[in-house]
Amino acid sequence: MAEADPIRLRDRIDTGPRFTDADAIRLNRMFRGADTMEMLRAVIGDGLVGELATVSSFGAESAVLLHLVSQVDPALPVLFLETGKHFPETLQYRDDLVARLGLTGLVNLRPDPELLAKRDESGLRWSYDPDGCCEIRKVLPLATALAGFDATLTGRKAFQSATRANLPRFEVDTSDAQGRLKINPLIDWSADDLAAYIAEHDLPPHPLVAQGYPSIGCSPCTQKVAPGEDPRSGRWKGWDKTECGIHTPLTDDGELPPGYDPAF
C-alpha cells in the first residue's frame, strides 16, 4: 500500500476536537481493502492516530483482537472496566489471557469509591436503574482514563446486533466532546471468521461461552441466550437497553440521550 499522508493531530492544549468526521472518512478510504493486520500495524506500529489504547471486556471473543494487538505491540495499553460486578470466570479469563499473550499494558479501571458510596451504597442499582449503574461503573471511569488518548480500539462486530450492523472501521467517538477516534478492527468479521482465527491460533475461549453466554458483561445483567437469538439479547434482558453507554453518542448538550441518562 502506498505511503499514507499523516493524519493531522491537534496539540493537547487545543480545546478543539482531535479528529473530525472528514478524518474518519479519509481513514476508511485509506484502508479500504486492507486486511485487519495491515491496518493495525499502521495505527499501532506506525503511530498513525496518535496515543492509542484498546478497550477490552475480556468477553466471549476478546481473545481475537488481543491476540492481533499482541503481534504488533504487547505493551499497548489495554483498558478493562473492573466494575465489581463481573463473573469470577471473566476475571480469571482476563488474568489467563494477559499471561498467555504477554500483554504488559493492562489497566484495571475501577469506579470512584466515594461515588459508589453515594449513589450505589447497596450495590443493587443495576436492579432498578441499569443505566445509572453503567454510568457509575463504566462510563465515568472510562471517560477519565481516556483523557490522555487520541484513539481507541474496540472489539465491536457488525453481526452482534442491529445497532452495530452498519458501523465503519473508523469513526469519531461521539460519546464525548474530545473528537477521539474510535477504531473497530473486527467490524467486518463474521462469527465463522472469529471461530477460525481462534482455532488457528489455539486461543482459549471464555469459559462461559460453552454455557450459553455468547455476549458477556456484568453478571447481574447478563443471561443465557437461546440458539438463534441475537448474541447480545441476553444483555439487560427485559430492559429497553442495548449498550452500557460507553459507545453511546452524547446529545447536543453533552449529555447521554434518554434511556441512558441515569436517574440519580
Side-chain angles (χ1 to χ4, degrees):
M1 187 176 65
E3 183 176 353
D5 294 332
I7 297 296
R8 174 182 53 81
L9 288 175
R10 294 178 182 267
D11 191 284
R12 289 299 175 79
I13 63 172
D14 191 336
T15 58
R18 295 170 169 92
F19 292 94
T20 65
D21 288 337
D23 293 325
I25 291 170
R26 187 154 68 93
L27 281 164
N28 280 308
R29 289 174 177 168
M30 182 187 304
F31 289 101
R32 183 180 297 152
D35 65 29
T36 303
M37 183 56 83
E38 181 181 0
M39 184 266 288
L40 286 174
R41 287 196 180 101
V43 298
I44 300 175
D46 297 340
L48 185 63
V49 294
E51 294 296 322
L52 176 69
T54 187
V55 180
S56 180
S57 65
F58 286 87
E61 300 142 350
S62 296
V64 173
L65 180 57
L66 292 173
H67 182 267
L68 288 164
V69 166
S70 73
Q71 305 306 297
V72 182
D73 181 7
L76 187 77
V78 177
L79 309 182
F80 173 70
L81 289 160
E82 172 48 294
T83 63
K85 297 292 183 181
H86 283 293
F87 290 96
E89 291 89 342
T90 295
L91 301 181
Q92 185 61 56
Y93 185 61
R94 173 201 60 191
D95 296 343
D96 292 346
L97 204 54
V98 164
R100 169 78 173 269
L101 301 180
L103 299 169
T104 60
L106 177 68
V107 181
N108 291 304
L109 305 177
R110 294 179 172 83
D112 183 333
E114 293 185 5
L115 194 59
L116 280 180
K118 180 180 179 181
R119 296 176 175 172
D120 194 14
E121 183 179 7
S122 68
L124 295 175
R125 192 170 194 120
W126 61 269
S127 66
Y128 61 90
D129 180 22
D131 293 321
C133 185
C134 287
E135 177 82 355
I136 297 167
R137 297 175 183 274
K138 292 185 176 182
V139 176
L140 294 177
L142 184 61
T144 299
L146 289 182
F149 292 99
D150 301 301
T152 59
L153 300 173
T154 88
R156 294 184 295 173
K157 277 79 65 176
F159 74 84
Q160 289 176 319
S161 66
T163 58
R164 299 182 175 188
N166 297 309
L167 292 175
R169 264 184 170 179
F170 297 86
E171 57 182 327
V172 174
D173 186 351
T174 54
S175 65
D176 65 23
Q178 301 304 310
R180 191 175 294 106
L181 196 68
K182 188 175 287 185
I183 307 169
N184 307 305
L186 306 181
I187 197 64
D188 57 350
W189 286 45
S190 67
D192 289 342
D193 293 332
L194 295 167
Y197 189 93
I198 288 170
E200 178 184 356
H201 297 281
D202 191 28
L203 298 175
H206 192 296
L208 292 180
V209 172
Q211 298 181 35
Y213 296 89
S215 180
I216 302 161
C218 292
S219 58
C221 297
T222 304
Q223 297 185 31
K224 294 182 180 181
V225 172
E229 287 187 321
D230 185 314
R232 287 179 60 83
S233 64
R235 305 287 293 276
W236 306 287
K237 205 172 188 70
W239 292 90
D240 183 19
K241 179 177 173 66
T242 58
E243 298 281 357
C244 66
I246 63 173
H247 297 304
T248 304
L250 295 181
T251 66
D252 292 339
D253 296 327
E255 302 293 339
L256 289 170
Y260 292 90
D261 190 11
F264 290 142

